[in-house]
Coordinates of all heavy atoms in Angstrom, one line a residue:
L160 N -28.6 -69.2 -91.1 CA -27.9 -69.7 -92.2 C -26.4 -69.5 -92.0 O -26.0 -68.5 -91.4 CB -28.3 -69.1 -93.5 CG -29.8 -69.2 -93.9 CD1 -30.0 -68.6 -95.2 CD2 -30.3 -70.7 -93.8
P161 N -25.5 -70.3 -92.6 CA -24.0 -70.1 -92.6 C -23.7 -68.7 -93.3 O -24.4 -68.3 -94.2 CB -23.5 -71.2 -93.4 CG -24.5 -72.3 -93.3 CD -25.8 -71.6 -93.2
V162 N -22.7 -68.1 -92.8 CA -22.3 -66.7 -93.3 C -22.1 -66.7 -94.8 O -22.7 -65.8 -95.5 CB -21.1 -66.2 -92.6 CG1 -20.6 -64.9 -93.2 CG2 -21.4 -66.0 -91.1
P163 N -21.4 -67.7 -95.5 CA -21.3 -67.7 -96.9 C -22.6 -67.7 -97.6 O -22.8 -67.1 -98.7 CB -20.4 -68.9 -97.2 CG -19.7 -69.2 -95.9 CD -20.7 -68.8 -94.9
V164 N -23.6 -68.5 -97.1 CA -24.9 -68.6 -97.7 C -25.7 -67.3 -97.6 O -26.3 -66.8 -98.5 CB -25.7 -69.7 -97.1 CG1 -27.1 -69.9 -97.7 CG2 -24.9 -71.1 -97.2
Q165 N -25.6 -66.6 -96.4 CA -26.2 -65.3 -96.2 C -25.7 -64.3 -97.2 O -26.4 -63.6 -97.9 CB -25.9 -64.8 -94.8 CG -26.6 -65.6 -93.7 CD -26.4 -64.9 -92.3 OE1 -26.2 -63.7 -92.2 NE2 -26.3 -65.7 -91.3
K166 N -24.3 -64.3 -97.4 CA -23.7 -63.4 -98.3 C -24.1 -63.7 -99.7 O -24.4 -62.7 -100.5 CB -22.2 -63.5 -98.2 CG -21.4 -62.4 -99.0 CD -19.9 -62.6 -98.7 CE -19.1 -61.5 -99.4 NZ -17.6 -61.7 -99.2
Y167 N -24.3 -64.9 -100.1 CA -24.7 -65.3 -101.4 C -26.1 -64.8 -101.7 O -26.4 -64.3 -102.8 CB -24.6 -66.9 -101.5 CG -25.2 -67.5 -102.8 CD1 -24.8 -67.0 -104.0 CD2 -26.0 -68.6 -102.8 CE1 -25.2 -67.6 -105.2 CE2 -26.4 -69.2 -103.9 CZ -26.1 -68.7 -105.1 OH -26.5 -69.3 -106.3
I168 N -27.0 -65.0 -100.7 CA -28.4 -64.6 -100.9 C -28.5 -63.0 -101.1 O -29.3 -62.6 -102.0 CB -29.3 -65.0 -99.8 CG1 -29.4 -66.6 -99.7 CG2 -30.7 -64.4 -99.9 CD1 -30.1 -67.1 -98.5
R169 N -27.7 -62.3 -100.3 CA -27.7 -60.8 -100.5 C -27.1 -60.5 -101.8 O -27.6 -59.6 -102.5 CB -26.8 -60.2 -99.4 CG -27.4 -60.4 -98.0 CD -26.6 -59.6 -96.9 NE -26.9 -60.0 -95.6 CZ -26.2 -60.8 -94.8 NH1 -25.0 -61.2 -95.3 NH2 -26.6 -61.1 -93.6
Y170 N -26.0 -61.1 -102.2 CA -25.4 -60.8 -103.5 C -26.3 -61.0 -104.7 O -26.2 -60.2 -105.6 CB -24.1 -61.7 -103.6 CG -23.3 -61.5 -104.9 CD1 -22.5 -60.4 -105.0 CD2 -23.5 -62.4 -106.0 CE1 -21.7 -60.3 -106.2 CE2 -22.8 -62.2 -107.1 CZ -21.9 -61.2 -107.3 OH -21.2 -61.0 -108.4
T171 N -27.1 -62.0 -104.6 CA -28.0 -62.4 -105.8 C -29.2 -61.5 -105.8 O -29.9 -61.5 -106.8 CB -28.4 -63.8 -105.8 OG1 -28.8 -64.3 -104.5 CG2 -27.1 -64.7 -106.1
G172 N -29.5 -60.8 -104.7 CA -30.6 -59.8 -104.7 C -32.0 -60.3 -104.3 O -33.0 -59.7 -104.8
F173 N -32.1 -61.3 -103.4 CA -33.3 -61.8 -103.0 C -33.9 -61.1 -101.8 O -35.1 -61.3 -101.5 CB -33.2 -63.3 -102.8 CG -33.2 -64.1 -104.1 CD1 -32.1 -64.3 -104.8 CD2 -34.4 -64.7 -104.6 CE1 -32.0 -65.0 -106.0 CE2 -34.4 -65.4 -105.8 CZ -33.2 -65.6 -106.5
I174 N -33.1 -60.4 -101.0 CA -33.6 -59.7 -99.9 C -34.6 -58.6 -100.3 O -34.3 -57.9 -101.2 CB -32.4 -59.1 -99.0 CG1 -31.5 -60.2 -98.5 CG2 -33.0 -58.3 -97.9 CD1 -32.2 -61.1 -97.6
G175 N -35.7 -58.6 -99.6 CA -36.7 -57.6 -99.9 C -37.7 -57.9 -101.0 O -38.5 -57.1 -101.4
K176 N -37.5 -59.2 -101.5 CA -38.4 -59.6 -102.6 C -39.2 -60.8 -102.2 O -38.8 -61.5 -101.2 CB -37.5 -60.0 -103.9 CG -36.8 -58.7 -104.5 CD -35.9 -59.1 -105.6 CE -35.2 -57.8 -106.2 NZ -34.3 -58.1 -107.3
P177 N -40.3 -61.2 -102.9 CA -41.2 -62.3 -102.4 C -40.4 -63.6 -102.3 O -39.5 -63.9 -103.1 CB -42.2 -62.3 -103.5 CG -42.2 -61.0 -104.1 CD -40.8 -60.5 -104.1
V178 N -40.8 -64.3 -101.3 CA -40.2 -65.7 -101.1 C -40.6 -66.5 -102.3 O -41.8 -66.5 -102.7 CB -40.8 -66.3 -99.8 CG1 -40.4 -67.8 -99.6 CG2 -40.3 -65.5 -98.6
V179 N -39.7 -67.4 -102.7 CA -39.9 -68.1 -103.9 C -40.8 -69.3 -103.7 O -40.6 -70.2 -102.8 CB -38.5 -68.7 -104.5 CG1 -38.8 -69.5 -105.7 CG2 -37.6 -67.5 -104.8
R180 N -41.9 -69.4 -104.4 CA -42.9 -70.5 -104.4 C -42.6 -71.4 -105.6 O -42.8 -72.6 -105.5 CB -44.3 -70.1 -104.4 CG -44.7 -69.2 -103.3 CD -46.3 -69.0 -103.2 NE -46.8 -68.7 -104.6 CZ -46.9 -67.6 -105.2 NH1 -46.5 -66.5 -104.5 NH2 -47.4 -67.5 -106.4
N181 N -42.3 -70.9 -106.7 CA -42.0 -71.6 -107.9 C -41.2 -70.8 -108.8 O -41.0 -69.6 -108.6 CB -43.3 -72.1 -108.7 CG -44.1 -70.9 -109.2 OD1 -43.6 -70.1 -110.0 ND2 -45.4 -70.7 -108.9
F182 N -40.6 -71.4 -109.9 CA -39.9 -70.6 -110.9 C -39.9 -71.3 -112.2 O -39.9 -72.5 -112.3 CB -38.5 -70.2 -110.4 CG -37.6 -71.3 -110.0 CD1 -36.7 -72.0 -110.8 CD2 -37.6 -71.8 -108.6 CE1 -35.9 -73.0 -110.5 CE2 -36.8 -72.8 -108.2 CZ -35.9 -73.5 -109.1
R183 N -39.8 -70.5 -113.3 CA -39.7 -71.0 -114.6 C -38.3 -70.6 -115.2 O -38.0 -69.4 -115.0 CB -40.8 -70.5 -115.5 CG -40.7 -70.8 -117.0 CD -41.8 -70.1 -117.7 NE -41.7 -70.3 -119.2 CZ -41.1 -69.5 -120.0 NH1 -40.5 -68.4 -119.5 NH2 -41.0 -69.8 -121.3
V184 N -37.6 -71.4 -115.8 CA -36.3 -71.2 -116.3 C -36.2 -71.6 -117.8 O -36.7 -72.6 -118.2 CB -35.2 -71.9 -115.5 CG1 -33.8 -71.6 -116.0 CG2 -35.3 -71.6 -114.0
V185 N -35.4 -70.8 -118.6 CA -35.2 -71.1 -120.0 C -33.7 -71.1 -120.2 O -33.0 -70.2 -119.8 CB -35.8 -70.1 -120.9 CG1 -35.4 -70.4 -122.4 CG2 -37.3 -70.1 -120.8
F186 N -33.2 -72.2 -120.8 CA -31.7 -72.4 -121.1 C -31.5 -72.6 -122.6 O -32.4 -73.1 -123.3 CB -31.2 -73.7 -120.4 CG -31.0 -73.6 -118.9 CD1 -31.9 -74.2 -118.1 CD2 -30.0 -72.8 -118.3 CE1 -31.7 -74.2 -116.7 CE2 -29.8 -72.7 -117.0 CZ -30.7 -73.4 -116.1
E187 N -30.3 -72.2 -123.0 CA -29.7 -72.7 -124.2 C -28.4 -73.3 -123.9 O -27.8 -73.1 -122.9 CB -29.5 -71.5 -125.2 CG -30.8 -70.9 -125.7 CD -30.5 -69.8 -126.7 OE1 -29.3 -69.4 -126.9 OE2 -31.5 -69.2 -127.3
G188 N -28.0 -74.3 -124.8 CA -26.7 -74.9 -124.5 C -26.5 -76.1 -125.4 O -26.9 -76.2 -126.5
K189 N -25.7 -77.1 -124.8 CA -25.5 -78.3 -125.6 C -25.3 -79.4 -124.6 O -24.9 -79.3 -123.4 CB -24.2 -78.1 -126.4 CG -23.0 -77.7 -125.7 CD -21.8 -77.5 -126.6 CE -20.5 -77.1 -125.8 NZ -19.3 -76.9 -126.7
I190 N -25.5 -80.7 -125.1 CA -25.5 -81.9 -124.3 C -25.0 -83.0 -125.1 O -25.1 -83.1 -126.3 CB -26.9 -82.2 -123.7 CG1 -26.8 -83.1 -122.5 CG2 -27.9 -82.6 -124.8 CD1 -28.2 -83.2 -121.8
R191 N -24.4 -84.0 -124.4 CA -24.0 -85.2 -125.0 C -24.1 -86.4 -124.0 O -24.1 -86.2 -122.8 CB -22.5 -85.1 -125.5 CG -21.5 -84.8 -124.4 CD -20.1 -84.6 -125.0 NE -19.1 -84.3 -123.9 CZ -17.8 -84.0 -124.1 NH1 -17.4 -84.1 -125.3 NH2 -17.0 -83.7 -123.1
K192 N -24.0 -87.6 -124.6 CA -24.2 -88.8 -123.7 C -22.9 -89.1 -123.0 O -22.9 -89.4 -121.8 CB -24.5 -90.0 -124.6 CG -24.7 -91.3 -123.9 CD -25.2 -92.4 -124.8 CE -25.4 -93.7 -124.0 NZ -25.8 -94.8 -124.9
N193 N -21.7 -88.9 -123.6 CA -20.4 -89.2 -123.0 C -19.4 -88.4 -123.8 O -19.7 -87.8 -124.8 CB -20.1 -90.7 -122.9 CG -20.3 -91.4 -124.1 OD1 -19.8 -91.0 -125.2 ND2 -21.0 -92.6 -124.1
E194 N -18.1 -88.7 -123.4 CA -17.0 -88.0 -124.1 C -16.8 -88.4 -125.5 O -16.2 -87.7 -126.4 CB -15.7 -88.2 -123.3 CG -15.7 -87.6 -121.9 CD -14.8 -86.4 -121.7 OE1 -13.9 -86.3 -122.5 OE2 -15.1 -85.6 -120.8
Q195 N -17.3 -89.6 -125.9 CA -17.1 -90.1 -127.2 C -18.2 -89.6 -128.1 O -18.2 -89.8 -129.4 CB -17.1 -91.6 -127.2 CG -15.8 -92.2 -126.6 CD -15.8 -92.1 -125.1 OE1 -16.7 -92.3 -124.4 NE2 -14.6 -91.7 -124.6
S196 N -19.3 -89.1 -127.6 CA -20.5 -88.7 -128.4 C -20.3 -87.2 -128.8 O -19.8 -86.4 -128.1 CB -21.8 -88.8 -127.5 OG -21.9 -90.2 -127.1
P197 N -20.9 -86.9 -130.0 CA -20.9 -85.5 -130.4 C -21.8 -84.6 -129.5 O -22.8 -85.1 -129.0 CB -21.3 -85.5 -131.9 CG -22.2 -86.8 -131.9 CD -21.6 -87.7 -130.9
W198 N -21.5 -83.3 -129.4 CA -22.4 -82.4 -128.7 C -23.7 -82.2 -129.5 O -23.6 -82.1 -130.8 CB -21.7 -81.1 -128.5 CG -20.6 -81.1 -127.5 CD1 -19.3 -81.1 -127.7 CD2 -20.8 -81.1 -126.1 NE1 -18.6 -81.1 -126.4 CE2 -19.5 -81.1 -125.4 CE3 -21.9 -81.0 -125.2 CZ2 -19.4 -81.1 -124.1 CZ3 -21.8 -81.0 -123.8 CH2 -20.5 -81.0 -123.3
M199 N -24.8 -82.1 -128.8 CA -26.1 -81.8 -129.4 C -26.5 -80.4 -128.9 O -26.7 -80.3 -127.7 CB -27.1 -82.8 -129.1 CG -26.8 -84.3 -129.6 SD -28.1 -85.4 -129.2 CE -28.1 -85.4 -127.4
P200 N -26.8 -79.4 -129.8 CA -27.3 -78.1 -129.3 C -28.7 -78.3 -128.8 O -29.5 -79.2 -129.2 CB -27.3 -77.3 -130.6 CG -27.4 -78.3 -131.7 CD -26.6 -79.5 -131.3
L201 N -29.1 -77.6 -127.8 CA -30.4 -77.7 -127.1 C -31.0 -76.4 -126.7 O -30.2 -75.4 -126.5 CB -30.3 -78.7 -126.0 CG -29.6 -78.2 -124.7 CD1 -30.4 -77.3 -123.8 CD2 -29.1 -79.4 -123.9
T202 N -32.2 -76.4 -126.5 CA -33.0 -75.3 -125.8 C -33.8 -76.1 -124.8 O -34.3 -77.2 -125.0 CB -33.8 -74.5 -126.7 OG1 -34.8 -75.3 -127.4 CG2 -33.0 -73.7 -127.7
S203 N -34.1 -75.5 -123.6 CA -34.8 -76.2 -122.6 C -35.7 -75.2 -121.8 O -35.3 -74.0 -121.7 CB -33.9 -77.0 -121.7 OG -33.2 -76.1 -120.8

């Protein structure tokens, strides 16, 4: 892998841990259709 990518993987703490097969993620935030539309709060 390129050096910056190697450094990123080490920095995030994946070395020595199981190889990723799948993952589940939960977000909070806001979304809108375009700049003229109001923001909509969301969970995902």
Side-chain angles (χ1 to χ4, degrees):
L160 303 183
V162 172
V164 178
Q165 293 184 28
K166 188 175 181 180
Y167 176 49
I168 294 173
R169 295 188 192 103
Y170 179 80
T171 50
F173 282 82
I174 297 296
K176 295 178 181 175
V178 172
V179 177
R180 301 191 317 272
N181 67 54
F182 55 94
R183 173 183 176 268
V184 183
V185 176
F186 287 108
E187 290 180 356
K189 57 183 180 179
I190 196 168
R191 61 182 176 179
K192 184 177 181 181
N193 51 45
E194 297 250 334
Q195 291 72 45
S196 303
W198 286 104
M199 298 185 294
L201 70 81
T202 59
S203 69

